[in-house]
Amino acid sequence: MTDLTVRNRRSAIAAAVLVVGMLGLGYASVPLYRLFCQVTGFQGTTQRAAAAPATSAVSTRMVRVRFDSNTAPNLPWEFKPERETDDIAIGARDMAFFVARNTSSHEVTGTATFNVSPSTAGKYFTKIQCFCFTQQTLKPGETVRMPVIFFVDPKILDDRDADDIQEITLSYTFFPVDPAKAGS
């Protein structure tokens, strides 16, 4: 075997390893990005918990939580919060309800994504129970109430970047799971 053949073979193997590595990185990027956002609160990603802190951790400082709801243009649903705002004590557990109604003449399945703003508040806004990322199937004309149980972590009181936060917006957007069926 000549030196040129050996170099070509090494180059081909290196290129193949690079392609496989880039493909693997592409598949891993979504879960890694989601993990990064959950740990840092980046882009308003909220935290998750099994329970709210002990009542001794509840602060006298209040924060207003504004609830926002949206639907993709091709999702034939009405979707809104039961209340537009709620004033809660930092560290206290709270519950809000969103209502969705299928306005079409056929069954439609949707799923919701969420965001919190300002983005600084994302790492302190903690959900205990949520309907986000869970498929919701509504029959024609069906209406459902969907709860969100949450609290604002008292650690927000120690963050100088969050000192001026008086209002947090929790926003949900519902998208059709099967866009071809949603708009028909």
Side-chain angles (χ1 to χ4, degrees):
M1 220 180 290
T2 67
D3 285 341
L4 183 59
T5 305
V6 170
R7 278 189 276 151
N8 285 345
R9 188 171 286 165
R10 283 184 186 162
S11 295
I13 291 171
V17 167
L18 182 64
V19 166
V20 169
M22 294 300 282
L23 185 63
L25 185 60
Y27 279 105
S29 64
V30 172
L32 289 174
Y33 181 74
R34 184 175 294 149
L35 178 65
F36 171 77
C37 290
Q38 287 174 341
V39 169
T40 64
F42 184 71
Q43 295 292 332
T45 301
T46 63
Q47 305 303 302
R48 298 187 86 170
T55 54
S56 60
V58 175
S59 170
T60 56
R61 182 173 157 200
M62 302 294 284
V63 65
R64 173 165 284 173
V65 178
R66 180 168 301 285
F67 304 105
D68 178 54
S69 59
N70 306 282
T71 56
N74 58 340
L75 183 68
W77 285 10
E78 291 176 356
F79 175 58
K80 63 183 180 191
E82 284 187 344
R83 290 178 291 169
E84 289 189 20
T85 63
D86 195 7
D87 295 328
I88 65 166
I90 292 176
R93 187 187 124 175
D94 198 24
M95 183 182 330
F97 284 92
F98 286 76
V99 178
R101 185 171 80 84
N102 180 353
T103 60
S104 76
S105 60
H106 58 280
E107 188 174 89
V108 178
T109 301
T111 188
T113 61
F114 65 90
N115 198 327
V116 170
S117 62
S119 59
T120 308
K123 61 185 168 185
Y124 303 109
F125 194 93
T126 306
K127 293 188 287 186
I128 298 169
Q129 179 182 332
C130 177
F131 55 86
C132 50
F133 301 118
T134 303
Q135 292 185 4
Q136 307 288 331
T137 300
L138 301 181
K139 294 180 172 98
E142 182 179 10
T143 299
V144 295
R145 290 177 76 217
M146 297 174 284
V148 178
I149 302 173
F150 64 92
F151 65 92
V152 177
D153 194 318
K155 292 177 187 172
I156 195 171
L157 300 171
D158 301 327
D159 186 343
R160 289 182 181 233
D161 293 333
D163 281 346
D164 61 342
I165 295 176
Q166 296 178 11
E167 183 174 280
I168 298 171
T169 300
L170 174 61
S171 180
Y172 286 98
T173 302
F174 256 102
F175 294 92
V177 171
D178 184 355
K181 290 182 181 177
S184 57

